[in-house]
Amino acid sequence: MPHLDRATVSEPITGYTVGTTAAGLVEVLVDCPGTQALYTYNVPDRLSVRVGDILSVPLGGQIVGGIAIRFVDRVPDTLTIARIKDIDDVVASGLFKPNYWQWLSQISQYYYTPLIQVIKVALPPGLLTRSHRRIRAISIDVNPNIFLSEIAKQILKLLNSTSARNYSWQHIQKQIPQARKGLRELLDKQLVESYLESGQTPQPKLQKAVILTAEVMGTDLSDRQREIVGILKQHDGELWQSELIKLTGTTTATLAKIAEKGYLAIVTKEKLRSERELGIFQQEPAKVLTADQAAALTVINRISGFAQVLLHGVTGSGKTEVYLQSIERILAKSQSVLVLVPEIGLTPQLTDRFRSRFGDKVCVYHSALSDGERYDTWRQMFNNTSQIIIGTRSAIFAPVPNLGLIILDEEHDSSFKQDQPAPTYQTRDIAKWRAELEACPLILGSATPSLETWVLICGKLGVGSWELGARSGDSQQDASVPNLSLYSSSSLTPNSQLPTPNSHTVVQQLPTPNSYYLPLPTRVHSRPVAPVEIVDMRQELHQGNRSIFSRSLSQALRQMQAQQQQGILFIHRRGHSTFVSCRSCGYVCECPNCDVSLAYHQPHTAEQAQLRCHYCNHYQPQPRKCPECESPYFKFFGSGTQKIVEELNREFPQLRCLRFDSDTTSTKGAHRRILTAFVQGEADLLVGTQMLTKGLDLPQVTLVGVVAADGLLHLSDYRAAERTFQTLTQVAGRCGRGDEAGKVIIQTYNPEHPVLAAVTKHDYAAFIAAELPERQMLDYPPTGRLILLRFSSLDAVAVERTVTEIGTMLNAAAIAGRYEVLGPAPATVMRVSNRYRWQIMLKYLPDGTAKLPDWEVLGTMCSNLVKMTIDVDPQNFL
């Protein structure tokens, strides 16, 4: 295990055999300041413990909370039986199934993260904190016929001496000698209850409810009272008191009088905190499917057990409707569904559509909820009724029983990768592991699948790893590249013989077992994809246009407003140092050793600026003239959404604009408010960042403008081409989804770039045919594997010295270990929050031959001044 954050990590206790059934000894995971470890405890005969139970256990003279992780059948070699303490009590039982803990352990091992940190990510905030045990008296009045020992009587007297009738167990032990015997007596006779409490743990929200208790109204009710009872009847005989008062304009005193007459009861009930109060949704019937949608649904519905399904549909092809109708079958079997989206901004629109179809079966779970809402939603998941959980990547940890389907919408999105804190999981991968354990299908939906998903499910096209099945179309096309636009539908059935859904179906054999590739190559209602116009901003500059907006985009904006239509402007907002491009010829400074652009570094001193590669640490001075055309005009790209809105207000004062980015959506409910305002016509233009590209359905949008595509093309990242194709294709797909035709305008200083050519033709096949061989040549994913070691410190000298020593050691062992070392190199943004950051990258082939370093040894090489973290399969190199 690595030294993460210089904290004590949890190490499995060695020297024992893991038991498969309940034994006398159990390992408990506790989390206290300075202690994150597994401890062995004895299970007393009076208790029944299962894996996953939340326990109270003695530790260091106090009672703390813990989780039963696994049973062992003999005493660890490092302990004696006399030193093993008994479990104090079971606080909550049966919360998780054993395979859930098996899954968490798998995550812990793969991402080199202590199990306690994985569990913290999986549980709602504050649930597993340093807890203390409390004892509460259930009733003041005790049956005098019940015999109680003197110690038990003293405990009851102490508890009933306060209005809350509860004390911490630690306080009771201090006040009453031998209190444990008396407590057991009171617990057995159900006179008290024991529970864990933490000051940070959310508590249930209690609220008064009014319940109708009489169906027939008598003559003793006044007309006003009859009206109130009648309104209560109209709402199925139960309402929250606050809601009834609001509806009727009555008072609590009037309700109390009606209750005295026996027509209603006022009780205190728990009110679950959730987003269900967002409105009443009209029931939406299932839509008629296209032939391609019906074919995909037929294959999905016939899958039994675990399978990976790539639902590859162009933007506007109706992937969501396929999700909805596949979910209907799962709910009919009393199973539940997890639907994951990359951004919180997607959840309001998606949630509204799901609730219109499935009503109260839909729950929302993401980090923007309050702690109380997350706590209540998390507890709702434990009931055995079928339900749908919609959320962002953290929702993959939802403890849903009877899980029947997992869906990752926009599976390609980098937001599905957790960067910090540990574990640095990729949602797509851990969702696959969970689907395997739950024996349920995993649907990966996207118009632009990630290359990892494509290769995993479909093989390495263009390098001869698999051959296409039946084809149609141009016989001159390269046989190694699929013409996806020619597929009307497809069912891929490596392990079963499913009947082809229609006569046009292409049946293919995939290299990966239990894999299905289902394309949706056309939009619903046969709507055409919007044409894409590439504008050469170099020509705009040569012809005297120094505005951010090209003449073509300016004209389109004026025409859009004249026709009372709406549009989207997309700007890639990086928020860090930029790349450098020649404004005369479009030349971009690139690393000679890596297929990435060099990042600009402005020194703090009078030294000349440098261009640096953050993979191999190559660096060179910033040229004063363009190496290609000797022009002195260099452009440092960095315009953000705020600057774009300012320019729009100056050049197009009549246009009403809304910003949709991380700054304007930071408050709760902001995503919904902005999108609702735009849909209702309160603005002409939506200006935003990556949020705009992710599955939003805005049928009224007829214009999409990309202000500066170069901000995507030349990032210091080997994935720059893939992310550019995905982002531009996705944002272009927001256009022309309604009855009006759309238009896309992309501004760039590099119009000849092959990625832009693929975007213009909406040609995913051409893109992967060009990109995959380059990745394979450099052994970058999906061909190779990467592990990124991040080092940071407040001391610039200490962190550089540490990474140099570790880099030297790794390079010395690289050949024997069959891995390649890139770096050490400073992070793209070298200093963040006064911490100096360096990185070392390990690259190797996933064929099992690599012998990776001992992370524990590397951790010990870091002084207390230096923090090291491990990012497995990194996506972010900033």
Side-chain angles (χ1 to χ4, degrees):
M1 289 284 182
H3 279 270
L4 298 174
D5 299 355
R6 303 303 303 165
T8 304
V9 300
S10 99
E11 284 285 358
I13 301 174
T14 58
Y16 63 85
T17 304
V18 177
T20 56
T21 59
L25 300 177
V26 64
E27 285 190 330
V28 178
L29 186 63
V30 299
D31 181 28
C32 287
T35 301
Q36 294 177 338
L38 288 169
Y39 289 89
T40 303
Y41 288 90
N42 181 59
V43 181
D45 294 338
R46 59 182 172 81
L47 296 179
S48 177
V49 175
R50 292 187 291 176
V51 170
D53 287 356
I54 297 179
L55 312 172
S56 60
V57 294
L59 182 69
Q62 59 182 329
I63 300 296
V64 299
I67 297 178
I69 299 299
R70 57 194 171 197
F71 294 100
V72 294
D73 57 11
R74 66 187 181 89
V75 178
D77 295 339
T78 56
L79 293 175
T80 62
I81 192 66
R83 293 179 57 195
I84 296 179
K85 299 179 180 179
D86 285 353
I87 292 172
D88 183 71
D89 208 349
V90 177
V91 177
S93 182
L95 293 184
F96 306 107
K97 294 186 294 185
N99 61 8
Y100 186 87
W101 294 105
Q102 182 181 344
W103 176 59
L104 294 184
S105 297
Q106 187 175 2
I107 295 171
S108 171
Q109 294 169 13
Y110 183 84
Y111 292 102
Y112 307 110
T113 303
L115 185 57
I116 182 64
Q117 291 182 238
V118 178
I119 291 175
K120 282 184 175 181
V121 172
L123 299 180
L127 190 66
L128 187 65
T129 57
R130 187 181 184 185
S131 304
H132 60 273
R133 189 185 187 192
R134 297 190 71 85
I135 309 300
R136 178 191 293 119
I138 296 176
S139 175
I140 297 178
D141 300 322
V142 179
N143 189 334
N145 296 324
I146 297 178
F147 174 78
L148 292 176
S149 66
E150 190 60 33
I151 295 176
K153 291 178 181 178
Q154 292 179 33
I155 294 175
L156 275 181
K157 182 179 179 180
L158 179 64
L159 293 174
N160 289 325
S161 65
T162 66
S163 58
R165 301 204 306 276
N166 75 84
Y167 271 116
S168 71
W169 175 234
Q170 192 172 13
H171 174 74
I172 294 173
Q173 287 180 303
K174 289 180 179 178
Q175 298 297 317
I176 302 173
Q178 299 181 344
R180 185 176 298 276
K181 293 181 179 180
L183 175 63
R184 175 48 51 196
E185 183 181 346
L186 293 172
L187 288 170
D188 291 342
K189 295 176 180 178
Q190 299 183 352
L191 297 175
V192 300
E193 61 179 348
S194 171
Y195 62 99
L196 284 183
E197 181 180 82
S198 169
Q200 298 177 357
T201 301
Q203 299 297 316
K205 180 180 179 180
L206 300 179
Q207 193 165 313
K208 288 187 176 181
V210 182
I211 302 173
L212 188 67
T213 57
E215 290 294 330
V216 181
M217 287 184 277
T219 57
D220 56 340
L221 290 176
S222 67
D223 291 342
R224 177 60 173 148
Q225 291 173 338
R226 285 174 176 271
E227 179 186 354
I228 294 171
V229 174
I231 292 175
L232 189 59
K233 275 187 177 182
Q234 294 172 10
H235 290 81
D236 298 325
E238 183 172 348
L239 276 174
W240 296 112
Q241 179 175 275
S242 58
E243 293 179 8
L244 183 58
I245 290 174
K246 185 176 181 180
L247 282 173
T248 60
T250 188
T251 64
T252 55
T254 301
L255 294 178
K257 290 180 181 178
I258 302 174
E260 289 176 3
K261 296 179 180 180
Y263 292 95
L264 55 82
I266 302 174
V267 299
T268 301
K269 296 180 64 176
E270 179 183 357
K271 183 175 183 180
L272 296 172
R273 293 158 287 200
S274 69
E275 290 190 338
R276 294 175 186 245
E277 59 270 16
L278 294 176
I280 299 173
F281 300 94
Q282 185 175 358
Q283 187 70 24
E284 176 188 294
K287 297 181 179 179
V288 177
L289 299 180
T290 65
D292 297 314
Q293 289 174 310
L297 183 63
T298 298
V299 175
I300 292 171
N301 284 344
R302 295 188 181 184
I303 293 174
S304 178
F306 167 71
Q308 299 176 93
V309 178
L310 174 55
L311 186 62
H312 183 187
V314 298
T315 55
S317 60
K319 293 185 291 295
T320 303
E321 186 63 28
V322 175
Y323 300 155
L324 290 167
Q325 296 199 25
S326 63
I327 287 171
E328 287 179 2
R329 177 173 171 270
I330 301 300
L331 297 181
K333 297 191 296 183
S334 299
Q335 292 182 300
S336 295
V337 180
L338 276 176
V339 181
L340 307 180
V341 295
E343 290 280 358
I344 294 172
L346 285 183
T347 54
Q349 198 173 53
L350 194 67
T351 301
D352 291 352
R353 186 167 178 188
F354 270 66
R355 282 181 175 151
S356 295
R357 189 72 61 87
F358 301 114
D360 285 342
K361 286 184 177 291
V362 179
C363 294
V364 178
Y365 191 75
H366 52 67
S367 58
L369 299 178
S370 68
D371 286 353
E373 288 172 340
R374 292 181 72 183
Y375 175 68
D376 285 354
T377 303
W378 186 80
R379 289 190 299 128
Q380 291 176 65
M381 298 175 193
F382 288 108
N383 65 52
N384 290 317
T385 59
S386 58
Q387 55 191 309
I388 304 166
I389 308 299
I390 300 177
T392 50
R393 63 174 179 259
S394 61
I396 188 58
F397 294 100
V400 183
N402 302 319
L403 189 58
L405 177 65
I406 302 175
I407 297 172
L408 260 71
D409 192 29
E410 310 295 346
E411 67 80 26
H412 65 276
D413 199 279
S414 59
S415 297
F416 279 125
K417 178 66 164 66
Q418 169 91 347
D419 291 325
Q420 60 179 356
T424 59
Y425 62 89
Q426 168 58 257
T427 310
R428 178 183 61 243
D429 295 336
I430 68 173
K432 176 192 171 186
W433 303 342
R434 186 168 186 187
E436 288 175 322
L437 289 171
E438 300 279 359
C440 72
L442 168 64
I443 299 179
L444 305 170
S446 178
T448 53
S450 64
L451 293 189
E452 285 84 353
T453 295
W454 181 268
V455 169
L456 175 66
I457 293 181
C458 300
K460 300 179 181 179
L461 296 177
V463 294
S465 64
W466 69 292
E467 296 297 328
L468 289 175
R471 321 174 37 83
S472 61
D474 186 359
S475 61
Q476 301 298 317
Q477 184 180 353
D478 183 352
S480 67
V481 180
N483 184 356
L484 299 183
S485 63
L486 299 177
Y487 295 173
S488 63
S489 58
S490 172
S491 65
L492 304 181
T493 56
N495 296 326
S496 60
Q497 296 297 322
L498 293 179
T500 56
N502 60 52
S503 59
H504 301 288
T505 299
V506 177
V507 180
Q508 296 172 312
Q509 180 77 19
L510 292 186
T512 307
N514 301 316
S515 298
Y516 298 84
Y517 173 75
L518 306 177
L520 303 177
T522 59
R523 285 184 162 185
V524 295
H525 304 304
S526 300
R527 294 189 179 105
V529 292
V532 179
E533 176 186 351
I534 303 295
V535 177
D536 187 348
M537 295 302 286
R538 298 173 301 182
Q539 294 299 321
E540 295 287 318
L541 181 64
H542 290 325
Q543 296 174 15
N545 180 17
R546 297 184 179 275
S547 168
I548 293 176
F549 311 110
S550 64
R551 290 167 297 172
S552 178
L553 181 56
S554 296
Q555 181 182 354
L557 288 170
R558 293 188 181 96
Q559 183 179 358
M560 178 199 73
Q561 188 194 24
Q563 296 177 354
Q564 295 184 335
Q565 296 171 336
Q566 290 181 303
I568 285 175
L569 278 190
F570 169 78
I571 178 70
H572 176 66
R573 179 171 167 165
R574 297 173 307 281
H576 57 78
S577 59
T578 65
F579 74 94
V580 180
S581 175
C582 174
R583 294 198 69 173
S584 298
C585 70
Y587 172 81
V588 174
C589 300
E590 294 185 336
C591 173
N593 303 319
C594 306
D595 192 18
V596 295
S597 59
L598 293 172
Y600 175 76
H601 276 251
Q602 177 65 49
H604 297 291
T605 63
E607 298 176 3
Q608 184 178 1
Q610 289 185 344
L611 303 177
R612 187 184 290 272
C613 173
H614 299 285
Y615 289 87
C616 66
N617 202 27
H618 167 83
Y619 61 93
Q620 64 190 49
Q622 159 73 19
R624 301 186 184 279
K625 294 183 179 181
C626 174
E628 291 288 320
C629 68
E630 297 190 348
S631 168
Y633 301 109
F634 283 101
K635 175 69 174 177
F636 302 92
F637 289 86
S639 298
T641 53
Q642 189 171 15
K643 183 177 180 181
I644 296 300
V645 171
E646 291 174 358
E647 290 294 317
L648 284 168
N649 291 335
R650 184 175 64 83
E651 296 191 31
F652 308 95
Q654 71 279 14
L655 281 177
R656 298 169 299 166
C657 301
L658 282 174
R659 281 174 59 199
F660 191 63
D661 55 32
S662 57
D663 290 337
T664 61
T665 58
S666 58
T667 59
K668 186 175 180 179
H671 298 89
R672 180 181 292 276
R673 288 194 297 272
I674 294 174
L675 290 176
T676 299
F678 185 70
V679 169
Q680 292 177 350
E682 297 178 17
D684 305 306
L685 206 57
L686 195 61
V687 182
T689 54
Q690 300 280 356
M691 294 179 185
L692 293 175
T693 71
K694 301 176 181 182
L696 295 177
D697 188 15
L698 303 169
Q700 68 275 30
V701 170
T702 59
L703 173 66
V704 167
V706 178
V707 177
D710 307 87
L712 292 164
L713 284 169
H714 304 298
L715 289 175
S716 299
D717 189 340
Y718 74 92
R719 297 179 186 270
E722 179 183 6
R723 287 179 174 169
T724 301
F725 179 83
Q726 291 169 339
T727 301
L728 295 182
T729 299
Q730 292 285 343
V731 74
R734 302 312 109 201
C735 185
R737 299 168 75 98
D739 296 331
E740 299 291 334
K743 182 178 182 181
V744 181
I745 298 174
I746 299 177
Q747 300 182 164
T748 177
Y749 283 91
N750 195 358
E752 302 87 4
H753 199 289
V755 171
L756 295 181
V759 171
T760 303
K761 298 176 182 178
H762 302 277
D763 195 346
Y764 178 80
F767 166 71
I768 59 174
E771 182 70 9
L772 278 174
E774 293 188 11
R775 296 276 188 93
Q776 186 182 37
M777 180 176 63
L778 296 172
D779 287 337
Y780 279 125
T783 301
R785 288 276 311 281
L786 299 177
I787 295 179
L788 183 64
L789 305 179
R790 304 179 191 269
F791 301 85
S792 67
S793 175
L794 294 172
D795 188 329
V797 176
V799 68
E800 185 171 0
R801 181 171 58 245
T802 297
V803 297
T804 301
E805 293 174 357
I806 291 178
T808 300
M809 187 192 78
L810 292 175
N811 275 296
I815 296 178
R818 297 181 65 86
Y819 57 81
E820 182 181 353
V821 180
L822 301 179
T828 306
V829 184
M830 187 173 182
R831 189 166 63 112
V832 175
S833 300
N834 289 324
R835 295 191 73 88
Y836 293 86
R837 309 187 308 152
W838 284 72
Q839 300 175 159
I840 299 176
M841 182 94 76
L842 301 186
K843 182 167 64 174
Y844 61 97
L845 295 177
D847 55 7
T849 61
K851 185 179 179 182
L852 296 177
D854 186 326
W855 308 118
E856 182 68 26
V857 172
L858 295 189
T860 59
M861 295 179 67
C862 297
S863 68
N864 291 330
L865 299 175
V866 179
K867 169 185 170 183
M868 182 185 85
T869 58
I870 301 174
D871 190 352
V872 180
D873 304 326
Q875 296 260 331
N876 178 14
F877 302 93
L878 299 181

